[in-house]
Amino acid sequence: MRATRRAYARETDKDSRGETIAIPRGSHPLTDPVAAWRDWLTQLDQAGHTSGRLLRRINRHGRIGPSLGADAVNTIVRDLAVRAGVPSAETITAHSLRAGGATVAYAAGVPVAVIAKHGRWAPASPVVLRYIRAVDRWRDNAMRNVGL
């Protein structure tokens, strides 16, 4: 099994060169991204997929097939959101995961510059700020602590 495999993100890696980013271990075995990554690489290796895209079709017999397109990924993410009972699930896309990651990191107190670096936004780019959503309009209100 390979220890690492480069990931390609079309939006942030237009030349498809791949980039290695640090992902910390999760605190719960069922949501640990490192364990999930390693398990998936093992499954790909066993199926003979040693190069190419990571997101692939899996048929009803569990066989791993060709790579998924952007529309298929969006459909999967949306269907999972619907099944999980996420509010406004019909509007969710895979891109929502990018905004969600930036939002929860910001809510946890991670500095914007660190979020930008991790999300591969340009360091001084204001774009990252458009991805951070106000989670609670009362708690995340700009007027909350101005002394009114």
Side-chain angles (χ1 to χ4, degrees):
M1 180 179 84
R2 290 177 303 282
T4 62
R5 191 169 186 179
R6 289 185 180 261
Y8 297 91
R10 189 174 48 175
E11 181 177 324
T12 58
D13 186 15
K14 299 198 185 326
D15 298 326
S16 295
R17 288 177 295 178
E19 184 175 348
T20 301
I21 59 171
I23 303 290
R25 299 289 313 230
S27 58
H28 190 280
L30 293 177
T31 58
D32 179 359
V34 175
W37 175 265
R38 287 181 177 158
D39 289 347
W40 183 238
L41 288 179
T42 299
Q43 294 299 314
L44 288 174
D45 282 342
Q46 290 173 354
H49 298 288
T50 58
S51 64
R53 296 185 182 248
L54 294 171
L55 299 180
R56 295 177 170 271
R57 299 175 193 276
I58 301 174
N59 71 17
R60 64 182 180 189
H61 306 291
R63 290 193 192 99
I64 299 172
S67 64
L68 294 172
D71 290 338
V73 174
N74 284 332
T75 299
I76 291 166
V77 169
R78 187 174 296 117
D79 288 350
L80 289 170
V82 167
R83 284 198 268 168
V86 174
S88 302
E90 63 282 351
T91 65
I92 290 178
T93 65
H95 200 258
S96 302
L97 301 177
R98 189 161 161 78
T103 299
V104 297
Y106 183 77
V110 176
V112 173
V114 174
I115 296 168
K117 182 171 176 56
H118 183 80
R120 295 176 312 281
W121 285 286
S125 173
V127 174
V128 67
L129 298 176
R130 287 186 283 190
Y131 281 80
I132 297 170
R133 312 285 192 250
V135 176
D136 180 321
R137 66 182 180 159
W138 297 107
R139 186 193 69 217
D140 300 332
N141 192 298
M143 298 293 112
R144 183 171 184 80
N145 295 314
V146 298
L148 298 177

